[in-house]
Protein backbone atom coordinates (compact mmCIF):
# COMPACT_ATOMS: atom_id res chain seq x y z
CA UNK A 1 0.00 0.00 0.00
CA UNK A 2 2.89 2.36 0.84
CA UNK A 3 4.39 1.83 -2.62
CA UNK A 4 1.08 2.58 -4.33
CA UNK A 5 0.60 5.84 -2.41
CA UNK A 6 4.18 6.88 -3.14
CA UNK A 7 3.72 6.07 -6.83
CA UNK A 8 0.55 8.18 -7.01
CA UNK A 9 2.21 11.13 -5.25
CA UNK A 10 5.29 10.94 -7.52
CA UNK A 11 3.09 10.74 -10.60
CA UNK A 12 1.05 13.76 -9.52
CA UNK A 13 4.21 15.78 -8.89
CA UNK A 14 5.54 14.94 -12.34
CA UNK A 15 2.21 15.74 -13.97
CA UNK A 16 2.08 19.13 -12.28
CA UNK A 17 5.51 20.01 -13.69
CA UNK A 18 4.68 19.80 -17.38
CA UNK A 19 5.65 16.32 -18.54
CA UNK A 20 6.91 15.64 -22.03
CA UNK A 21 6.50 12.18 -23.54
CA UNK A 22 8.73 10.45 -26.07
CA UNK A 23 8.19 8.06 -28.96
CA UNK A 24 8.32 4.39 -27.96
CA UNK A 25 11.77 3.28 -29.02
CA UNK A 26 14.18 0.79 -27.48
CA UNK A 27 17.93 1.46 -27.34
CA UNK A 28 20.88 -0.74 -26.35
CA UNK A 29 22.83 0.27 -23.27
CA UNK A 30 24.99 -2.87 -23.35
CA UNK A 31 24.83 -6.36 -24.80
CA UNK A 32 22.42 -7.38 -22.03
CA UNK A 33 20.55 -4.15 -21.18
CA UNK A 34 18.05 -2.18 -23.24
CA UNK A 35 16.30 1.03 -22.28
CA UNK A 36 13.41 3.30 -23.23
CA UNK A 37 13.18 7.04 -22.59
CA UNK A 38 9.71 7.47 -21.09
CA UNK A 39 9.19 11.08 -19.94
CA UNK A 40 10.81 14.35 -18.95
CA UNK A 41 9.56 16.98 -16.51
CA UNK A 42 10.51 20.63 -16.15
CA UNK A 43 10.91 21.70 -12.52
CA UNK A 44 11.87 24.95 -10.89
CA UNK A 45 12.83 23.64 -7.41
CA UNK A 46 14.97 20.77 -6.19
CA UNK A 47 16.41 19.55 -2.91
CA UNK A 48 20.08 19.45 -1.98
CA UNK A 49 21.29 15.86 -2.14
CA UNK A 50 24.66 16.37 -0.46
CA UNK A 51 24.66 14.32 2.78
CA UNK A 52 26.57 17.00 4.72
CA UNK A 53 24.06 19.75 3.88
CA UNK A 54 20.39 19.11 4.60
CA UNK A 55 17.11 20.95 4.32
CA UNK A 56 18.26 23.14 1.45
CA UNK A 57 16.03 23.88 -1.52
CA UNK A 58 17.42 25.18 -4.79
CA UNK A 59 15.20 27.35 -6.96
CA UNK A 60 16.15 27.99 -10.57
CA UNK A 61 16.72 31.51 -11.83
CA UNK A 62 13.69 33.13 -13.40
CA UNK A 63 13.25 31.78 -16.90
CA UNK A 64 15.02 28.45 -16.36
CA UNK A 65 14.10 24.89 -15.38
CA UNK A 66 15.85 21.73 -14.21
CA UNK A 67 15.08 18.60 -16.25
CA UNK A 68 14.01 15.28 -14.74
CA UNK A 69 13.95 12.26 -17.01
CA UNK A 70 12.46 8.79 -16.50
CA UNK A 71 14.19 5.91 -18.28
CA UNK A 72 13.10 2.28 -18.10
CA UNK A 73 15.90 -0.32 -18.24
CA UNK A 74 15.50 -4.03 -18.95
CA UNK A 75 18.16 -6.60 -18.03
CA UNK A 76 17.88 -9.52 -20.49
CA UNK A 77 20.64 -11.58 -18.88
CA UNK A 78 20.71 -14.13 -16.07
CA UNK A 79 23.22 -12.01 -14.14
CA UNK A 80 23.02 -8.77 -12.21
CA UNK A 81 24.18 -5.82 -14.35
CA UNK A 82 25.46 -2.34 -13.45
CA UNK A 83 24.31 0.95 -14.98
CA UNK A 84 26.68 3.89 -14.56
CA UNK A 85 24.58 7.07 -14.53
CA UNK A 86 27.66 9.29 -14.14
CA UNK A 87 28.16 8.70 -17.90
CA UNK A 88 24.71 10.10 -18.83
CA UNK A 89 24.32 13.69 -20.08
CA UNK A 90 21.66 15.76 -21.76
CA UNK A 91 22.85 17.85 -24.71
CA UNK A 92 21.42 21.22 -25.67
CA UNK A 93 21.26 22.64 -29.19
CA UNK A 94 24.91 23.80 -28.85
CA UNK A 95 26.08 20.35 -27.64
CA UNK A 96 26.75 21.60 -24.10
CA UNK A 97 26.57 18.77 -21.55
CA UNK A 98 24.20 18.72 -18.56
CA UNK A 99 25.25 16.14 -15.95
CA UNK A 100 23.16 13.91 -13.70
CA UNK A 101 22.64 15.64 -10.35
CA UNK A 102 20.91 12.67 -8.74
CA UNK A 103 19.33 9.35 -9.66
CA UNK A 104 16.73 7.28 -7.86
CA UNK A 105 14.51 4.36 -8.63
CA UNK A 106 11.27 5.75 -10.02
CA UNK A 107 8.38 5.40 -7.61
CA UNK A 108 10.56 5.11 -4.50
CA UNK A 109 11.10 7.74 -1.84
CA UNK A 110 14.29 9.77 -1.68
CA UNK A 111 16.94 7.99 0.29
CA UNK A 112 20.51 8.44 1.39
CA UNK A 113 21.78 6.80 -1.77
CA UNK A 114 20.39 9.15 -4.45
CA UNK A 115 23.90 10.49 -5.07
CA UNK A 116 25.15 7.02 -5.98
CA UNK A 117 25.57 7.05 -9.74
CA UNK A 118 26.09 3.31 -10.25
CA UNK A 119 22.97 1.20 -9.90
CA UNK A 120 22.49 -2.53 -10.24
CA UNK A 121 19.74 -4.20 -12.18
CA UNK A 122 18.82 -7.73 -11.12
CA UNK A 123 18.85 -10.60 -13.59
CA UNK A 124 15.88 -10.64 -15.99
CA UNK A 125 14.32 -7.57 -14.36
CA UNK A 126 13.18 -4.21 -15.57
CA UNK A 127 13.30 -1.04 -13.53
CA UNK A 128 12.66 2.65 -14.13
CA UNK A 129 14.96 5.38 -12.85
CA UNK A 130 14.40 9.11 -12.38
CA UNK A 131 17.40 11.33 -13.12
CA UNK A 132 17.71 15.06 -12.54
CA UNK A 133 20.13 17.04 -14.72
CA UNK A 134 22.00 20.26 -13.90
CA UNK A 135 22.55 23.10 -14.59
CA UNK A 136 19.09 24.39 -15.48
CA UNK A 137 17.92 24.82 -19.07
CA UNK A 138 16.36 28.06 -20.30
CA UNK A 139 12.58 27.86 -19.92
CA UNK A 140 11.01 26.57 -23.11
CA UNK A 141 14.29 25.04 -24.34
CA UNK A 142 14.49 21.27 -24.54
CA UNK A 143 17.52 19.05 -24.71
CA UNK A 144 18.11 17.68 -28.19
CA UNK A 145 19.83 14.43 -27.22
CA UNK A 146 20.93 12.04 -24.49
CA UNK A 147 24.66 11.27 -24.48
CA UNK A 148 26.12 8.16 -22.87
CA UNK A 149 29.92 8.38 -22.59
CA UNK A 150 31.04 4.93 -21.58
CA UNK A 151 33.65 2.88 -23.42
CA UNK A 152 32.50 -0.21 -21.51
CA UNK A 153 29.04 -0.36 -23.06
CA UNK A 154 27.68 -0.91 -26.54
CA UNK A 155 26.66 2.72 -26.99
CA UNK A 156 30.30 3.89 -26.94
CA UNK A 157 29.70 7.62 -26.63
CA UNK A 158 26.39 7.29 -28.37
CA UNK A 159 24.28 10.37 -28.96
CA UNK A 160 20.60 9.45 -28.81
CA UNK A 161 18.26 12.06 -30.34
CA UNK A 162 15.28 12.80 -28.11
CA UNK A 163 12.15 11.94 -30.09
CA UNK A 164 9.47 14.10 -28.48
CA UNK A 165 5.82 13.35 -29.13
CA UNK A 166 3.96 16.32 -30.57
CA UNK A 167 1.65 18.08 -28.16
CA UNK A 168 -2.01 17.80 -29.16
Amino acid sequence: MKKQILYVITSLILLSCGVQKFEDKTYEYSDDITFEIKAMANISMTENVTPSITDTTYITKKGSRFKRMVIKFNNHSNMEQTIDFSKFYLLNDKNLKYKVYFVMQYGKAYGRNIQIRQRTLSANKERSFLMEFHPAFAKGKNPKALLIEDPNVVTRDKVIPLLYLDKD
Side-chain angles (χ1 to χ4, degrees), residues 18 63 93 129 162:
D93 55 356
F129 292 94
L162 296 176

Side-chain angles (χ1 to χ4, degrees), residues 51-69:
S52 61
I53 305 170
T54 57
D55 300 326
T56 304
T57 301
Y58 295 118
I59 300 172
T60 60
K61 293 179 183 177
K62 187 174 181 174
S64 62
R65 297 287 182 263
F66 296 119
K67 301 290 185 179
R68 283 190 180 170
M69 181 178 275

Side-chain angles (χ1 to χ4, degrees), residues 108-165:
K108 293 232 177 181
Y110 283 87
R112 294 185 182 270
N113 64 349
I114 65 174
Q115 278 197 298
I116 297 172
R117 303 294 191 270
Q118 289 192 340
R119 298 300 176 107
T120 56
L121 191 56
S122 299
N124 298 305
K125 295 287 181 181
E126 80 177 29
R127 187 152 291 137
S128 293
F129 292 94
L130 174 74
M131 296 176 285
E132 184 172 300
F133 293 86
H134 285 207
F137 279 77
K139 190 174 180 179
K141 296 283 186 180
N142 287 321
K144 71 170 189 174
L146 176 70
L147 169 65
I148 304 173
E149 285 186 336
D150 194 341
N152 300 317
V153 298
V154 158
T155 56
R156 303 212 198 326
D157 294 355
K158 186 170 187 174
V159 175
I160 300 161
L162 296 176
L163 305 173
Y164 296 94
L165 289 176

Side-chain angles (χ1 to χ4, degrees), residues 14 40-49 58 60 65-70 85 88-90 98-104 110 114 117 129-137:
L14 280 177
M40 185 167 49
N42 301 304
I43 60 164
S44 59
M45 292 190 313
T46 190
E47 298 296 319
N48 184 355
V49 296
Y58 295 118
T60 60
R65 297 287 182 263
F66 296 119
K67 301 290 185 179
R68 283 190 180 170
M69 181 178 275
V70 177
F85 288 100
F88 283 66
Y89 300 90
L90 288 180
Y98 293 72
K99 66 180 181 176
V100 172
Y101 179 62
F102 73 75
V103 62
M104 61 185 255
Y110 283 87
I114 65 174
R117 303 294 191 270
F129 292 94
L130 174 74
M131 296 176 285
E132 184 172 300
F133 293 86
H134 285 207
F137 279 77

